[in-house]
Amino acid sequence: MPELPPPQDDTIYGTAARPALDPDAETMRRVGYALIDRLVAHHTTLPDQPVARRGTRTEFASLVDEALPEDPHALDDCLEFFFHRVIPDLTLVNHPRFHGYIPCPSSFAGALGGMLAAGTNPFSGSWLGGSTVCALELTVLRWIKQMLDFPLHSGGIFTSGGSLANLVGLAAARTRAGTAALERGVVYVSPEGHASLRKSAAVLGFPSAAICNVPTNANFQMDVDALQACIARDRRGGRLPLAVAATAGTTNSGAIDPLAAIADLCAREHIWFHVDAAYGGFAAISARGKQLLQGLNRADSLTLDPHKWLYCPMGIGCALVRDPEILKRTFSADGEYLADLPRDEVNFLDHGPELSRPARVIAVWMLLRSAGRKELARQIEHDMELAQLAADLLRKNPRLEVQDPVLSIVTFGHRKQPHETEVDRALRDTKLMEATLASGELMLSTTTLASRTTLRLVVMNHRTTAEEIQRSVAQIHQLTL
Ligand SMILES: Cc1ncc(COP(=O)(O)O)c(C=O)c1O
Protein backbone atom coordinates (compact mmCIF):
# COMPACT_ATOMS: atom_id res chain seq x y z
CA MET A 1 0.00 0.00 0.00
CA PRO A 2 1.43 3.45 -0.85
CA GLU A 3 2.32 5.52 2.14
CA LEU A 4 0.05 8.47 2.90
CA PRO A 5 1.57 11.93 3.25
CA PRO A 6 1.80 13.20 6.84
CA PRO A 7 -1.40 14.89 8.09
CA GLN A 8 -1.45 18.66 7.65
CA ASP A 9 -4.79 19.15 9.30
CA ASP A 10 -6.02 16.92 12.12
CA THR A 11 -9.53 17.01 10.71
CA ILE A 12 -8.42 15.26 7.51
CA TYR A 13 -6.46 12.29 8.82
CA GLY A 14 -6.73 12.62 12.57
CA THR A 15 -9.47 11.57 14.92
CA ALA A 16 -10.75 15.05 15.77
CA ALA A 17 -13.99 15.98 14.07
CA ARG A 18 -15.12 19.56 13.59
CA PRO A 19 -16.59 20.14 17.05
CA ALA A 20 -18.96 22.82 15.76
CA LEU A 21 -20.59 20.20 13.53
CA ASP A 22 -20.31 17.13 15.75
CA PRO A 23 -19.46 18.01 19.34
CA ASP A 24 -18.10 15.42 21.78
CA ALA A 25 -20.50 12.88 23.26
CA GLU A 26 -20.84 14.73 26.57
CA THR A 27 -21.88 17.97 24.83
CA MET A 28 -24.26 16.10 22.52
CA ARG A 29 -25.95 14.59 25.57
CA ARG A 30 -26.12 17.83 27.51
CA VAL A 31 -27.52 19.92 24.65
CA GLY A 32 -29.75 17.07 23.49
CA TYR A 33 -31.30 16.73 26.97
CA ALA A 34 -31.66 20.51 27.18
CA LEU A 35 -33.55 20.47 23.90
CA ILE A 36 -35.89 17.75 25.15
CA ASP A 37 -36.47 19.64 28.41
CA ARG A 38 -37.37 22.79 26.46
CA LEU A 39 -39.68 20.86 24.12
CA VAL A 40 -41.47 19.19 27.02
CA ALA A 41 -41.90 22.57 28.74
CA HIS A 42 -43.20 24.00 25.46
CA HIS A 43 -45.68 21.15 24.95
CA THR A 44 -46.97 21.09 28.52
CA THR A 45 -47.56 24.85 28.73
CA LEU A 46 -49.18 25.29 25.31
CA PRO A 47 -52.69 26.19 26.60
CA ASP A 48 -51.21 29.08 28.63
CA GLN A 49 -49.32 30.60 25.70
CA PRO A 50 -50.76 33.12 23.23
CA VAL A 51 -51.99 31.28 20.14
CA ALA A 52 -50.79 33.75 17.57
CA ARG A 53 -49.10 37.06 17.09
CA ARG A 54 -48.91 38.86 13.80
CA GLY A 55 -45.81 41.03 14.05
CA THR A 56 -44.38 43.04 11.18
CA ARG A 57 -40.97 42.79 9.57
CA THR A 58 -40.08 46.03 11.30
CA GLU A 59 -40.95 44.55 14.69
CA PHE A 60 -38.90 41.47 13.87
CA ALA A 61 -36.05 43.47 12.33
CA SER A 62 -33.47 41.87 14.58
CA LEU A 63 -34.51 38.46 13.24
CA VAL A 64 -34.79 39.56 9.63
CA ASP A 65 -31.43 41.33 9.76
CA GLU A 66 -29.53 38.75 11.81
CA ALA A 67 -25.96 38.93 10.50
CA LEU A 68 -24.24 36.03 8.75
CA PRO A 69 -22.33 34.20 11.48
CA GLU A 70 -18.67 33.98 10.47
CA ASP A 71 -17.64 32.26 13.68
CA PRO A 72 -19.25 29.48 15.72
CA HIS A 73 -21.91 30.07 18.34
CA ALA A 74 -22.40 27.47 21.08
CA LEU A 75 -25.31 25.10 20.48
CA ASP A 76 -26.81 26.17 23.85
CA ASP A 77 -26.75 29.73 22.56
CA CYS A 78 -28.63 28.67 19.38
CA LEU A 79 -31.28 26.92 21.51
CA GLU A 80 -31.59 29.93 23.75
CA PHE A 81 -32.00 32.21 20.74
CA PHE A 82 -34.75 30.01 19.23
CA PHE A 83 -36.81 29.60 22.40
CA HIS A 84 -36.46 33.26 23.42
CA ARG A 85 -36.59 35.07 20.11
CA VAL A 86 -38.61 32.84 17.76
CA ILE A 87 -41.12 30.83 19.80
CA PRO A 88 -42.74 33.62 21.87
CA ASP A 89 -44.05 35.44 18.77
CA LEU A 90 -44.80 32.37 16.69
CA THR A 91 -48.29 31.25 15.65
CA LEU A 92 -48.59 27.92 17.44
CA VAL A 93 -50.37 25.44 15.19
CA ASN A 94 -50.09 22.83 17.96
CA HIS A 95 -52.08 25.06 20.33
CA PRO A 96 -55.40 23.59 21.53
CA ARG A 97 -57.21 26.81 20.60
CA PHE A 98 -55.68 27.14 17.13
CA HIS A 99 -58.91 26.87 15.09
CA GLY A 100 -57.78 28.62 11.89
CA TYR A 101 -57.19 27.31 8.36
CA ILE A 102 -56.63 23.53 8.48
CA PRO A 103 -54.50 22.90 11.55
CA CYS A 104 -51.39 20.71 11.53
CA PRO A 105 -51.39 19.53 15.15
CA SER A 106 -48.30 17.39 15.61
CA SER A 107 -48.34 15.01 18.57
CA PHE A 108 -45.30 14.33 20.73
CA ALA A 109 -45.14 10.80 19.30
CA GLY A 110 -45.07 12.23 15.77
CA ALA A 111 -42.45 14.79 16.82
CA LEU A 112 -40.29 12.03 18.29
CA GLY A 113 -40.53 10.18 14.96
CA GLY A 114 -39.49 13.38 13.17
CA MET A 115 -36.53 13.74 15.54
CA LEU A 116 -35.54 10.12 14.89
CA ALA A 117 -35.60 10.78 11.16
CA ALA A 118 -33.53 13.96 11.46
CA GLY A 119 -31.18 12.34 13.98
CA THR A 120 -30.39 9.21 11.97
CA ASN A 121 -30.90 10.77 8.52
CA PRO A 122 -31.92 7.74 6.46
CA PHE A 123 -32.17 8.08 2.70
CA SER A 124 -35.51 6.80 1.49
CA GLY A 125 -35.27 7.44 -2.25
CA SER A 126 -34.01 3.97 -3.08
CA TRP A 127 -33.90 0.47 -1.63
CA LEU A 128 -30.12 0.45 -1.71
CA GLY A 129 -29.96 3.84 0.02
CA GLY A 130 -32.23 2.83 2.90
CA SER A 131 -33.79 -0.61 2.52
CA THR A 132 -35.24 -0.85 6.03
CA VAL A 133 -36.91 2.56 5.98
CA CYS A 134 -38.27 1.73 2.50
CA ALA A 135 -39.63 -1.51 3.99
CA LEU A 136 -41.18 0.56 6.79
CA GLU A 137 -42.71 2.93 4.20
CA LEU A 138 -44.27 -0.05 2.40
CA THR A 139 -45.68 -1.29 5.70
CA VAL A 140 -47.10 2.03 6.83
CA LEU A 141 -48.61 2.66 3.38
CA ARG A 142 -50.26 -0.76 3.72
CA TRP A 143 -51.58 0.15 7.18
CA ILE A 144 -53.11 3.31 5.71
CA LYS A 145 -54.67 1.34 2.84
CA GLN A 146 -56.06 -1.16 5.34
CA MET A 147 -57.55 1.58 7.50
CA LEU A 148 -59.22 3.18 4.47
CA ASP A 149 -60.21 -0.07 2.69
CA PHE A 150 -58.07 1.01 -0.26
CA PRO A 151 -56.75 -1.79 -2.50
CA LEU A 152 -53.61 -3.29 -0.98
CA HIS A 153 -51.91 -3.77 -4.36
CA SER A 154 -52.07 -0.01 -5.08
CA GLY A 155 -48.98 2.19 -5.26
CA GLY A 156 -48.16 5.01 -2.91
CA ILE A 157 -45.60 7.36 -1.50
CA PHE A 158 -45.18 9.87 1.32
CA THR A 159 -44.81 13.40 -0.03
CA SER A 160 -44.07 16.76 1.55
CA GLY A 161 -47.80 17.48 1.92
CA GLY A 162 -51.20 17.44 0.27
CA SER A 163 -50.17 19.87 -2.48
CA LEU A 164 -47.48 17.50 -3.75
CA ALA A 165 -49.79 14.51 -3.35
CA ASN A 166 -52.30 16.30 -5.61
CA LEU A 167 -49.48 16.78 -8.11
CA VAL A 168 -48.66 13.06 -7.97
CA GLY A 169 -52.33 12.11 -8.53
CA LEU A 170 -52.83 14.45 -11.48
CA ALA A 171 -49.48 13.45 -12.99
CA ALA A 172 -50.60 9.80 -12.91
CA ALA A 173 -53.90 10.79 -14.56
CA ARG A 174 -51.96 12.57 -17.30
CA THR A 175 -49.82 9.48 -17.85
CA ARG A 176 -52.84 7.23 -18.33
CA ALA A 177 -54.33 9.59 -20.91
CA GLY A 178 -51.11 9.62 -22.97
CA THR A 179 -50.07 12.24 -25.48
CA ALA A 180 -53.57 13.69 -25.99
CA ALA A 181 -53.67 14.71 -22.32
CA LEU A 182 -52.03 18.11 -22.66
CA GLU A 183 -53.52 18.87 -26.08
CA ARG A 184 -57.17 18.08 -25.41
CA GLY A 185 -57.46 16.99 -21.79
CA VAL A 186 -59.90 18.52 -19.30
CA VAL A 187 -59.62 18.30 -15.52
CA TYR A 188 -62.87 18.90 -13.60
CA VAL A 189 -62.60 20.77 -10.29
CA SER A 190 -65.22 22.61 -8.27
CA PRO A 191 -64.57 26.19 -7.14
CA GLU A 192 -64.28 24.72 -3.63
CA GLY A 193 -61.32 22.53 -4.75
CA HIS A 194 -57.99 23.44 -3.18
CA ALA A 195 -55.69 25.87 -5.02
CA SER A 196 -53.00 23.19 -5.20
CA LEU A 197 -55.11 21.27 -7.73
CA ARG A 198 -55.00 24.16 -10.20
CA LYS A 199 -51.35 24.84 -9.36
CA SER A 200 -50.49 21.17 -9.98
CA ALA A 201 -52.32 21.18 -13.31
CA ALA A 202 -50.34 24.26 -14.36
CA VAL A 203 -47.02 22.71 -13.26
CA LEU A 204 -47.88 19.59 -15.25
CA GLY A 205 -48.32 21.70 -18.38
CA PHE A 206 -52.11 21.87 -18.61
CA PRO A 207 -53.23 25.22 -20.04
CA SER A 208 -55.69 27.14 -17.85
CA ALA A 209 -58.45 26.29 -20.36
CA ALA A 210 -57.97 22.63 -19.42
CA ILE A 211 -59.54 23.28 -16.02
CA CYS A 212 -63.33 23.05 -16.00
CA ASN A 213 -64.98 24.72 -13.01
CA VAL A 214 -67.86 22.47 -12.07
CA PRO A 215 -70.56 24.34 -10.12
CA THR A 216 -71.44 23.34 -6.58
CA ASN A 217 -74.82 22.84 -4.93
CA ALA A 218 -76.13 24.75 -1.91
CA ASN A 219 -73.98 22.58 0.37
CA PHE A 220 -70.77 23.47 -1.49
CA GLN A 221 -70.50 19.97 -2.96
CA MET A 222 -69.65 19.31 -6.60
CA ASP A 223 -72.94 19.13 -8.54
CA VAL A 224 -72.89 15.73 -10.25
CA ASP A 225 -75.53 16.63 -12.84
CA ALA A 226 -73.56 19.72 -13.77
CA LEU A 227 -70.41 17.58 -13.96
CA GLN A 228 -72.15 15.15 -16.31
CA ALA A 229 -73.29 18.06 -18.49
CA CYS A 230 -69.77 19.55 -18.63
CA ILE A 231 -68.32 16.18 -19.66
CA ALA A 232 -70.92 15.72 -22.41
CA ARG A 233 -70.34 19.25 -23.69
CA ASP A 234 -66.56 18.75 -23.76
CA ARG A 235 -66.82 15.42 -25.60
CA ARG A 236 -69.03 17.03 -28.22
CA GLY A 237 -66.41 19.75 -28.60
CA GLY A 238 -63.64 17.20 -29.26
CA ARG A 239 -62.04 17.56 -25.83
CA LEU A 240 -60.77 14.66 -23.73
CA PRO A 241 -62.38 14.49 -20.27
CA LEU A 242 -59.37 13.29 -18.37
CA ALA A 243 -59.81 13.54 -14.61
CA VAL A 244 -62.30 14.62 -12.00
CA ALA A 245 -60.62 16.05 -8.91
CA ALA A 246 -63.18 15.69 -6.14
CA THR A 247 -62.65 16.82 -2.56
CA ALA A 248 -63.28 14.87 0.63
CA GLY A 249 -63.50 17.73 3.08
CA THR A 250 -63.10 21.12 1.44
CA THR A 251 -60.80 23.63 3.04
CA ASN A 252 -63.48 26.31 3.22
CA SER A 253 -66.32 24.43 4.87
CA GLY A 254 -65.44 20.73 5.13
CA ALA A 255 -67.99 19.79 2.44
CA ILE A 256 -67.60 16.29 1.04
CA ASP A 257 -68.26 15.93 -2.68
CA PRO A 258 -70.68 13.07 -3.55
CA LEU A 259 -67.81 10.62 -3.90
CA ALA A 260 -69.78 7.46 -4.73
CA ALA A 261 -71.84 9.19 -7.45
CA ILE A 262 -68.71 10.76 -8.96
CA ALA A 263 -66.95 7.37 -8.82
CA ASP A 264 -69.88 5.83 -10.75
CA LEU A 265 -69.76 8.61 -13.32
CA CYS A 266 -65.98 8.32 -13.76
CA ALA A 267 -66.24 4.54 -14.18
CA ARG A 268 -68.97 4.91 -16.82
CA GLU A 269 -67.08 7.63 -18.68
CA HIS A 270 -63.63 6.08 -18.24
CA ILE A 271 -62.32 9.19 -16.50
CA TRP A 272 -59.63 9.26 -13.81
CA PHE A 273 -61.14 9.77 -10.34
CA HIS A 274 -58.84 11.77 -8.09
CA VAL A 275 -59.90 12.54 -4.53
CA ASP A 276 -58.22 15.30 -2.56
CA ALA A 277 -58.75 14.03 0.97
CA ALA A 278 -55.92 16.08 2.47
CA TYR A 279 -58.22 17.40 5.17
CA GLY A 280 -60.95 14.79 5.56
CA GLY A 281 -59.37 11.50 4.48
CA PHE A 282 -58.23 10.14 7.82
CA ALA A 283 -61.69 10.68 9.29
CA ALA A 284 -62.53 7.46 7.39
CA ILE A 285 -60.57 5.42 9.94
CA SER A 286 -63.44 6.09 12.37
CA ALA A 287 -66.89 4.52 11.99
CA ARG A 288 -68.62 7.90 11.68
CA GLY A 289 -66.10 9.22 9.17
CA LYS A 290 -66.29 6.04 7.09
CA GLN A 291 -70.02 6.56 6.76
CA LEU A 292 -69.55 10.15 5.62
CA LEU A 293 -66.76 9.33 3.19
CA GLN A 294 -68.30 6.43 1.27
CA GLY A 295 -66.71 6.15 -2.16
CA LEU A 296 -63.32 7.48 -1.00
CA ASN A 297 -61.75 4.06 -1.52
CA ARG A 298 -62.87 3.99 -5.17
CA ALA A 299 -60.42 6.74 -6.15
CA ASP A 300 -57.84 6.14 -8.85
CA SER A 301 -55.61 8.47 -6.89
CA LEU A 302 -56.01 9.74 -3.36
CA THR A 303 -54.38 12.63 -1.52
CA LEU A 304 -53.95 12.28 2.23
CA ASP A 305 -52.15 14.44 4.77
CA PRO A 306 -50.73 12.71 7.85
CA HIS A 307 -49.58 16.16 9.02
CA LYS A 308 -53.21 17.15 9.39
CA TRP A 309 -55.68 14.63 10.88
CA LEU A 310 -53.06 12.02 11.72
CA TYR A 311 -51.26 14.25 14.21
CA CYS A 312 -47.83 14.05 12.51
CA PRO A 313 -45.34 16.92 12.23
CA MET A 314 -45.49 19.22 9.24
CA GLY A 315 -43.98 18.04 5.98
CA ILE A 316 -45.81 14.71 5.58
CA GLY A 317 -48.42 14.10 2.89
CA CYS A 318 -49.31 10.87 1.14
CA ALA A 319 -50.42 9.92 -2.36
CA LEU A 320 -52.03 6.57 -3.16
CA VAL A 321 -52.50 5.45 -6.77
CA ARG A 322 -54.71 2.46 -7.50
CA ASP A 323 -52.62 1.19 -10.43
CA PRO A 324 -48.99 0.96 -9.25
CA GLU A 325 -47.74 0.55 -12.82
CA ILE A 326 -49.13 3.95 -13.82
CA LEU A 327 -47.42 5.54 -10.83
CA LYS A 328 -44.14 3.92 -11.87
CA ARG A 329 -44.53 4.92 -15.50
CA THR A 330 -45.08 8.51 -14.37
CA PHE A 331 -42.04 8.90 -12.16
CA SER A 332 -39.59 6.17 -13.13
CA ALA A 333 -36.09 7.65 -13.20
CA ASP A 334 -32.97 6.53 -14.95
CA GLY A 335 -29.33 7.56 -14.87
CA GLU A 336 -25.94 5.89 -15.09
CA TYR A 337 -25.43 6.73 -11.41
CA LEU A 338 -28.51 4.63 -10.52
CA ALA A 339 -27.20 1.43 -12.14
CA ASP A 340 -26.53 -0.25 -8.77
CA LEU A 341 -30.13 -0.03 -7.57
CA PRO A 342 -31.90 -3.37 -7.17
CA ARG A 343 -34.63 -2.91 -9.77
CA ASP A 344 -36.74 -5.78 -8.46
CA GLU A 345 -37.15 -3.94 -5.14
CA VAL A 346 -39.13 -0.78 -4.44
CA ASN A 347 -37.22 2.41 -5.16
CA PHE A 348 -39.36 5.34 -4.05
CA LEU A 349 -37.57 7.65 -6.49
CA ASP A 350 -39.72 5.83 -9.09
CA HIS A 351 -42.95 6.72 -7.22
CA GLY A 352 -42.68 10.48 -6.90
CA PRO A 353 -40.83 13.60 -7.98
CA GLU A 354 -37.99 13.44 -5.41
CA LEU A 355 -34.74 11.50 -5.35
CA SER A 356 -33.20 12.42 -1.98
CA ARG A 357 -36.09 12.43 0.44
CA PRO A 358 -36.31 12.33 4.23
CA ALA A 359 -37.74 9.23 5.88
CA ARG A 360 -41.13 10.87 6.50
CA VAL A 361 -42.46 7.42 7.25
CA ILE A 362 -40.73 7.28 10.65
CA ALA A 363 -43.05 9.89 12.19
CA VAL A 364 -46.17 8.20 10.78
CA TRP A 365 -44.93 4.79 11.89
CA MET A 366 -44.12 6.08 15.39
CA LEU A 367 -47.53 7.70 15.70
CA LEU A 368 -49.52 4.76 14.38
CA ARG A 369 -47.54 2.16 16.29
CA SER A 370 -47.59 4.01 19.61
CA ALA A 371 -51.25 5.11 19.44
CA GLY A 372 -52.88 2.29 17.47
CA ARG A 373 -55.75 2.68 15.01
CA LYS A 374 -58.53 2.44 17.61
CA GLU A 375 -57.18 5.30 19.72
CA LEU A 376 -56.70 7.47 16.64
CA ALA A 377 -60.23 6.70 15.46
CA ARG A 378 -61.56 7.68 18.90
CA GLN A 379 -59.55 10.91 18.81
CA ILE A 380 -60.82 11.86 15.34
CA GLU A 381 -64.43 11.21 16.42
CA HIS A 382 -63.77 13.30 19.53
CA ASP A 383 -62.58 16.20 17.35
CA MET A 384 -65.83 15.92 15.36
CA GLU A 385 -67.91 15.90 18.57
CA LEU A 386 -66.08 18.97 19.87
CA ALA A 387 -66.75 20.79 16.59
CA GLN A 388 -70.46 20.10 17.10
CA LEU A 389 -70.15 21.34 20.69
CA ALA A 390 -68.58 24.56 19.38
CA ALA A 391 -71.48 25.00 16.93
CA ASP A 392 -74.05 24.43 19.70
CA LEU A 393 -72.35 26.92 22.03
CA LEU A 394 -71.91 29.56 19.31
CA ARG A 395 -75.59 29.25 18.43
CA LYS A 396 -76.53 30.45 21.92
CA ASN A 397 -75.47 33.92 20.77
CA PRO A 398 -78.45 35.44 18.90
CA ARG A 399 -76.14 37.80 17.00
CA LEU A 400 -74.50 34.85 15.23
CA GLU A 401 -75.64 32.56 12.42
CA VAL A 402 -74.01 29.14 12.69
CA GLN A 403 -73.78 26.14 10.36
CA ASP A 404 -73.26 22.67 11.80
CA PRO A 405 -69.97 20.99 10.88
CA VAL A 406 -69.90 18.18 8.32
CA LEU A 407 -66.57 16.93 9.69
CA SER A 408 -64.94 19.40 12.08
CA ILE A 409 -65.23 22.87 10.50
CA VAL A 410 -67.87 25.19 11.95
CA THR A 411 -68.72 28.15 9.72
CA PHE A 412 -70.48 31.12 11.24
CA GLY A 413 -70.85 34.86 11.01
CA HIS A 414 -72.72 37.88 12.31
CA ARG A 415 -76.41 37.96 11.55
CA LYS A 416 -77.33 40.78 9.22
CA GLN A 417 -79.03 43.61 11.07
CA PRO A 418 -82.01 45.44 9.61
CA HIS A 419 -80.83 48.05 7.07
CA GLU A 420 -77.24 46.82 7.31
CA THR A 421 -75.33 46.32 4.05
CA GLU A 422 -73.57 43.02 3.41
CA VAL A 423 -70.28 44.94 3.32
CA ASP A 424 -70.85 46.23 6.85
CA ARG A 425 -71.96 42.82 8.08
CA ALA A 426 -68.83 41.24 6.60
CA LEU A 427 -66.72 43.93 8.23
CA ARG A 428 -68.00 42.81 11.64
CA ASP A 429 -66.84 39.25 10.82
CA THR A 430 -63.35 40.37 9.86
CA LYS A 431 -63.16 42.66 12.90
CA LEU A 432 -64.09 39.73 15.12
CA MET A 433 -61.39 37.62 13.53
CA GLU A 434 -58.83 40.42 14.11
CA ALA A 435 -59.99 40.87 17.70
CA THR A 436 -59.66 37.17 18.53
CA LEU A 437 -56.19 37.19 16.99
CA ALA A 438 -55.16 40.22 19.04
CA SER A 439 -56.51 38.60 22.22
CA GLY A 440 -54.02 35.73 21.89
CA GLU A 441 -56.79 33.50 23.22
CA LEU A 442 -57.67 31.69 20.01
CA MET A 443 -57.11 31.68 16.28
CA LEU A 444 -59.94 31.69 13.74
CA SER A 445 -59.78 32.38 10.02
CA THR A 446 -62.18 33.79 7.46
CA THR A 447 -63.19 32.69 4.01
CA THR A 448 -65.82 33.47 1.41
CA LEU A 449 -68.71 31.07 0.90
CA ALA A 450 -71.44 31.84 -1.64
CA SER A 451 -69.96 35.36 -2.02
CA ARG A 452 -70.30 35.96 1.71
CA THR A 453 -67.49 36.49 4.21
CA THR A 454 -67.63 33.70 6.76
CA LEU A 455 -65.74 32.85 9.92
CA ARG A 456 -64.31 29.36 10.33
CA LEU A 457 -63.60 27.48 13.54
CA VAL A 458 -61.82 24.16 13.00
CA VAL A 459 -61.35 21.49 15.66
CA MET A 460 -58.53 19.12 14.88
CA ASN A 461 -56.20 18.65 17.79
CA HIS A 462 -55.84 15.96 20.45
CA ARG A 463 -55.04 18.71 22.99
CA THR A 464 -58.40 20.42 22.50
CA THR A 465 -60.86 19.58 25.26
CA ALA A 466 -64.48 20.59 25.90
CA GLU A 467 -63.08 23.20 28.33
CA GLU A 468 -60.85 24.66 25.63
CA ILE A 469 -63.86 24.88 23.29
CA GLN A 470 -65.86 26.62 26.02
CA ARG A 471 -62.98 29.05 26.52
CA SER A 472 -62.73 29.77 22.77
CA VAL A 473 -66.47 30.29 22.38
CA ALA A 474 -66.69 32.48 25.52
CA GLN A 475 -64.03 34.72 23.99
CA ILE A 476 -65.93 34.87 20.68
CA HIS A 477 -69.14 35.80 22.51
CA GLN A 478 -67.30 38.53 24.36
CA LEU A 479 -65.87 39.98 21.13
CA THR A 480 -68.99 39.64 18.99
CA LEU A 481 -70.04 43.06 17.66
C1 LIG B 1 -58.36 20.04 0.82
C2 LIG B 1 -56.92 20.39 0.82
N1 LIG B 1 -56.14 19.95 -0.18
C3 LIG B 1 -54.83 20.22 -0.22
C4 LIG B 1 -54.23 20.97 0.75
C5 LIG B 1 -52.76 21.28 0.67
O1 LIG B 1 -52.09 20.51 1.60
P1 LIG B 1 -50.63 20.89 2.11
O2 LIG B 1 -50.78 22.18 2.83
O3 LIG B 1 -50.27 19.74 2.98
O4 LIG B 1 -49.75 21.00 0.92
C6 LIG B 1 -55.00 21.46 1.81
C7 LIG B 1 -54.39 22.27 2.87
O5 LIG B 1 -55.01 22.72 3.79
C8 LIG B 1 -56.37 21.16 1.86
O6 LIG B 1 -57.17 21.59 2.84
Side-chain angles (χ1 to χ4, degrees):
M1 211 159 88
E3 215 169 281
L4 293 170
Q8 292 164 358
D9 178 336
D10 65 355
T11 60
I12 299 178
Y13 299 119
T15 50
R18 289 259 181 235
L21 299 185
D22 266 346
D24 61 79
E26 186 45 43
T27 308
M28 279 194 223
R29 247 179 233 114
R30 186 178 49 73
V31 186
Y33 293 154
L35 166 62
I36 292 292
D37 284 343
R38 282 177 186 263
L39 279 181
V40 172
H42 173 72
H43 269 250
T44 51
T45 57
L46 269 175
D48 308 322
Q49 298 178 37
V51 181
R53 207 174 93 73
R54 196 173 45 186
T56 61
R57 258 182 298 173
T58 313
E59 285 173 79
F60 298 144
S62 66
L63 284 177
V64 176
D65 299 334
E66 169 67 358
L68 168 71
E70 289 290 347
D71 298 311
H73 287 68
L75 288 171
D76 312 74
D77 176 61
C78 300
L79 274 188
E80 180 69 14
F81 182 102
F82 187 78
F83 278 95
H84 272 93
R85 304 273 301 282
V86 179
I87 288 290
D89 288 319
L90 195 63
T91 297
L92 300 173
V93 295
N94 279 354
H95 197 292
R97 295 187 306 281
F98 180 98
H99 303 300
Y101 306 102
I102 303 286
C104 293
S106 175
S107 55
F108 194 69
L112 268 185
M115 282 188 257
L116 269 185
T120 57
N121 199 27
F123 180 89
S124 62
S126 72
W127 192 266
L128 185 62
S131 50
T132 49
V133 286
C134 291
L136 217 52
E137 183 152 349
L138 288 175
T139 298
V140 177
L141 287 170
R142 171 172 55 77
W143 289 350
I144 290 176
K145 293 171 200 170
Q146 281 176 286
M147 292 194 295
L148 300 180
D149 289 332
F150 204 75
L152 296 184
H153 67 263
S154 56
I157 185 163
F158 287 112
T159 61
S160 61
S163 303
L164 258 285
N166 277 335
L167 181 94
V168 169
L170 292 185
R174 186 188 63 173
T175 300
R176 188 179 74 169
T179 49
L182 295 181
E183 291 156 21
R184 296 190 294 121
V186 185
V187 178
Y188 300 86
V189 190
S190 95
E192 295 298 309
H194 193 262
S196 59
L197 290 165
R198 287 174 178 78
K199 218 196 250 191
S200 297
V203 169
L204 292 168
F206 288 101
S208 54
I211 302 292
C212 173
N213 276 308
V214 183
T216 49
N217 62 22
N219 296 322
F220 307 106
Q221 301 168 295
M222 190 181 277
D223 180 329
V224 183
D225 291 337
L227 172 63
Q228 173 98 63
C230 292
I231 291 168
R233 179 203 59 203
D234 290 339
R235 284 209 197 282
R236 281 196 305 276
R239 309 290 302 274
L240 173 68
L242 187 139
V244 177
T247 305
T250 60
T251 317
N252 279 334
S253 69
I256 300 169
D257 286 336
L259 302 176
I262 298 173
D264 289 342
L265 178 57
C266 287
R268 271 200 316 275
E269 297 274 352
H270 197 62
I271 297 175
W272 187 274
F273 178 37
H274 175 76
V275 179
D276 176 359
Y279 159 49
F282 284 114
I285 74 176
S286 73
R288 183 168 158 206
K290 187 162 279 183
Q291 193 67 27
L292 290 167
L293 291 159
Q294 280 178 33
L296 183 82
N297 58 353
R298 293 175 62 193
D300 289 304
S301 51
L302 183 60
T303 287
L304 298 162
D305 240 349
H307 68 196
K308 292 191 169 78
W309 228 345
L310 208 59
Y311 314 99
C312 284
M314 218 150 344
I316 311 178
C318 176
L320 298 181
V321 175
R322 178 173 296 267
D323 183 339
E325 284 313 308
I326 293 184
L327 185 61
K328 232 174 142 180
R329 251 174 40 222
T330 306
F331 289 107
S332 201
D334 233 337
E336 300 77 19
Y337 44 85
L338 298 176
D340 305 327
L341 299 189
R343 286 295 175 179
D344 49 351
E345 289 299 350
V346 171
N347 295 296
F348 280 102
L349 65 95
D350 291 331
H351 292 204
E354 298 167 298
L355 170 56
S356 302
R357 51 194 291 272
R360 301 181 175 104
V361 62
I362 298 176
V364 192
W365 167 80
M366 191 84 165
L367 189 275
L368 267 165
R369 195 164 196 268
S370 64
R373 185 201 64 81
K374 285 189 205 152
E375 183 59 21
L376 289 168
R378 269 194 291 273
Q379 179 55 51
I380 288 169
E381 293 219 356
H382 188 239
D383 287 341
M384 291 196 261
E385 285 159 12
L386 289 184
Q388 186 61 57
L389 173 68
D392 295 342
L393 294 175
L394 284 169
R395 203 167 272 129
K396 288 184 192 289
N397 185 337
R399 280 174 291 175
L400 295 177
E401 260 176 337
V402 183
Q403 287 76 44
D404 280 329
V406 179
L407 289 164
S408 70
I409 302 179
V410 182
T411 53
F412 67 102
H414 286 88
R415 220 178 264 289
K416 202 160 166 224
Q417 289 171 350
H419 314 301
E420 189 182 35
T421 64
E422 174 50 26
V423 172
D424 287 339
R425 192 212 59 77
L427 200 58
R428 287 195 288 142
D429 282 354
T430 31
K431 277 189 179 158
L432 173 59
M433 148 72 197
E434 295 288 337
T436 51
L437 195 62
S439 75
E441 271 289 286
L442 73 152
M443 172 104 180
L444 299 172
S445 57
T446 65
T447 192
T448 304
L449 281 168
S451 310
R452 213 178 132 106
T453 299
T454 306
L455 288 152
R456 302 165 67 263
L457 184 155
V458 189
V459 186
M460 186 200 268
N461 192 329
H462 54 288
R463 300 176 188 91
T464 308
T465 58
E467 289 72 34
E468 298 288 357
I469 292 292
Q470 277 156 353
R471 186 167 162 180
S472 289
V473 174
Q475 185 70 20
I476 294 171
H477 286 333
Q478 205 180 322
L479 296 171
T480 306
L481 298 163

